[in-house]
Amino acid sequence: MRMSRKKFLGTVRKKLYQPCPPQKTTIIIVHNNTITNRVSSANAQSAADNSGLHFLSKQEMAAIAIQSYFRGYLARRMFKALKSLVKLQAVVRGVCVRRQLRIALHCMQSLARLQVTVRARQLLSHSDD
């Protein structure tokens, strides 16, 4: 089961800002981004080491939250720059397409004038017969 980022950060915030219980507790992050709270003891520590769990302090959890927010900010800034670049490309391509359209219309008008001239000559030559 995978947690959403908002839910994950909300859980982290709750764990960081709740009053400390009398027992010493440790926040454990499992590889699939779920958070569990366990009482620290020798048995829990050895079980956690064998199962691939990582123990993180409150400071490390806060650092992770800050890093994730900062990375999100950088990603949004990069996306905004990319969006403006795409708009610029669209403007440039629009200019190129309009130029191609103008050339194509000019060529079609020239062909239409040539066709009218040829048909007029054909009609004049047939009327002389």
Side-chain angles (χ1 to χ4, degrees):
M1 185 175 138
R2 190 169 178 179
M3 294 177 82
S4 70
R5 181 178 173 191
K6 192 172 185 179
K7 197 172 191 179
F8 172 74
L9 292 175
T11 307
V12 169
R13 195 176 296 114
K14 285 178 190 173
K15 299 291 182 192
L16 290 176
Y17 294 120
Q18 71 183 2
C20 295
Q23 300 178 4
K24 184 178 177 186
T25 59
T26 306
I27 298 172
I28 302 171
I29 294 187
V30 187
H31 287 295
N32 63 357
N33 291 336
T34 59
I35 297 177
T36 58
N37 217 4
R38 291 195 182 163
V39 176
S40 295
S41 67
N43 294 338
Q45 183 76 26
S46 63
D49 291 340
N50 293 335
S51 64
L53 300 176
H54 299 285
F55 290 90
L56 297 176
S57 66
K58 288 184 179 183
Q59 288 83 7
E60 290 171 327
M61 292 296 294
I64 289 171
I66 292 168
Q67 286 174 351
S68 66
Y69 279 116
F70 184 69
R71 287 183 183 133
Y73 163 74
L74 290 178
R76 283 189 299 277
R77 198 170 75 174
M78 196 181 317
F79 179 71
K80 189 176 178 181
L82 182 65
K83 227 165 75 169
S84 61
L85 179 66
V86 168
K87 286 181 181 179
L88 180 64
Q89 284 178 340
V91 167
V92 171
R93 286 182 183 151
V95 169
C96 292
V97 167
R98 284 191 289 277
R99 186 180 338 129
Q100 288 175 348
L101 179 65
R102 190 172 55 247
I103 292 169
L105 284 174
H106 182 71
C107 291
M108 287 177 65
Q109 287 173 349
S110 299
L111 285 172
R113 272 188 262 123
L114 182 64
Q115 189 178 19
V116 166
T117 305
V118 169
R119 290 222 174 141
R121 284 186 185 167
Q122 285 176 351
L123 286 174
L124 287 175
S125 68
H126 285 297
S127 65
D128 290 338
D129 290 340

